[in-house]
Amino acid sequence: MQSDFQTAMLARNPAWVQLLGLCPLLAVSNTLANAAALAAASTFVVVGSSTLVAAVRHHIPDFARLPVLVLIIATFTTITTLVLEAFAYQTYLQVALFVQIIVTNCMILNRAETFASHNSVGRSFLDALGTGVGFAIALLALGALRETLSPLAPVVQYPPGAFIIAGLALALVSAAAKAARNKERAE
Amino acid sequence: MLRGLIALALIAAVCSGLLYGVRVWTAPHIEANRAEARNKVFADMLTTPPGALVENDQGMLGACADGWLGFTVTTPGYAGDIEMAALWRADALSMRAVRHLETPDIGDFIDGEWLQAKDGYDEPAWQNIDTVSGATITTQAVRRLAQNAFVRGLEVCRAE
């Protein structure tokens, strides 16, 4: 079970490996605070929806599989939006638009469809948690980088800069993964 | 098939129940946050402390006898409702955004000087505001808000 969490967080990292959820990743990582808020929201939605999908997986009829998954994801997205607006209003004003479109985040539907629909509640919970934490790491790293570099290079605050920084980070992660694989093969 | 439909109904019921419960739990907090945001915007517009704002019997600020009213108007925007605080006179209107979900860096120009520059516009002037390129829905929403504000102000004062 621990490997489900680690695999989802690292080897199948939704942002740096699977390149999922890039829209919120780039749009909300302009500051660390916004990145943290969206990371928490996305993690809650993926964990909640994957857990519920796993719990009812044997009862979801084949003919309505995708609509049911989207219904469950939309439920948790709406819950997140309401809770943010109630208890973190200033944060809500900053990130509300991107929290609402979490429902379209491929990362969440991907986990629900490919993992939670075929595995137990416990494994699905860990897989979703790893996915959420992996996405949070990517968001926070990008947010920290952009916020740190913005006084030196103001372009990183804007979409073109976000693409460049994200691209460079992706190249770094790919290079590190390749080096790790080569080292494993050599051993 | 029947079993599938029953399962669907149960899943829908669970989701609905969750949403209903969270809605009931969060509604008072959301309303309090929105009311505080409204008061802050009106206080800035009227340059008074938020605590000094007094609502009349209709839940509005000001009075027809004084020639002005303060109230909020809401209309659908690009990604959700836009709520604006309106200071209305029979021939002049000023508005400020209270809450909206317009796209950052595209539709959120309504937060800044663009709207303040239109303080005191009359109704024809509000309807003739230039459309902002890339944000036509937002601009149309602002025109609707202004129209609704003028209509509401006149209705309230005619009724008195």
Side-chain angles (χ1 to χ4, degrees), chain B residues 70-116:
Chain B
F71 51 86
T72 56
V73 280
T74 307
T75 199
Y78 177 72
D81 282 346
I82 299 176
E83 182 182 7
M84 291 237 185
L87 281 187
W88 171 90
R89 288 184 172 78
D91 58 352
L93 178 72
S94 302
M95 293 198 294
R96 296 286 185 276
V98 175
R99 63 182 175 91
H100 66 84
L101 291 175
E102 303 310 278
T103 312
D105 295 331
I106 298 175
D108 62 353
F109 57 86
I110 57 175
D111 283 328
E113 293 173 357
W114 183 86
L115 210 54
Q116 292 172 24

Side-chain angles (χ1 to χ4, degrees), chain B:
Chain B
M1 181 75 170
L2 180 64
R3 200 172 158 210
L5 289 173
I6 293 171
L8 269 180
L10 284 172
I11 292 169
V14 166
C15 291
S16 303
L18 269 173
L19 281 172
Y20 177 76
V22 172
R23 187 78 184 98
V24 166
W25 172 45
T26 57
H29 301 279
I30 290 173
E31 190 42 48
N33 288 335
R34 289 182 183 176
E36 190 182 335
R38 265 180 237 126
N39 286 346
K40 187 172 182 307
V41 170
F42 275 121
D44 285 343
M45 290 175 86
L46 295 166
T47 59
T48 57
L53 297 172
V54 178
E55 288 182 351
N56 59 26
D57 296 338
Q58 290 137 337
M60 297 181 173
L61 302 173
C64 295
D66 297 333
W68 71 274
L69 291 172
F71 51 86
T72 56
V73 280
T74 307
T75 199
Y78 177 72
D81 282 346
I82 299 176
E83 182 182 7
M84 291 237 185
L87 281 187
W88 171 90
R89 288 184 172 78
D91 58 352
L93 178 72
S94 302
M95 293 198 294
R96 296 286 185 276
V98 175
R99 63 182 175 91
H100 66 84
L101 291 175
E102 303 310 278
T103 312
D105 295 331
I106 298 175
D108 62 353
F109 57 86
I110 57 175
D111 283 328
E113 293 173 357
W114 183 86
L115 210 54
Q116 292 172 24
K118 292 157 180 62
D119 280 353
Y121 269 25
D122 59 13
E123 192 170 359
W126 276 106
Q127 296 309 311
N128 283 323
I129 57 175
D130 286 337
T131 303
V132 175
S133 177
T136 51
I137 293 175
T138 307
T139 321
Q140 285 166 4
V142 172
R143 290 196 197 105
R144 269 199 314 276
L145 285 163
Q147 185 182 27
N148 293 346
F150 275 110
V151 166
R152 188 158 170 219
L154 285 172
E155 269 175 6
V156 168
C157 288
R158 268 197 211 121
E160 284 191 3

Side-chain angles (χ1 to χ4, degrees), chain A residues 59 68 75 78 85-86 96-97 100, chain B residues 7-8 15 30 33-34 79 101:
Chain A
H59 307 288
V68 167
T75 299
T78 308
E85 192 177 0
L97 180 62
Q100 289 186 341
Chain B
L8 269 180
C15 291
I30 290 173
N33 288 335
R34 289 182 183 176
L101 291 175

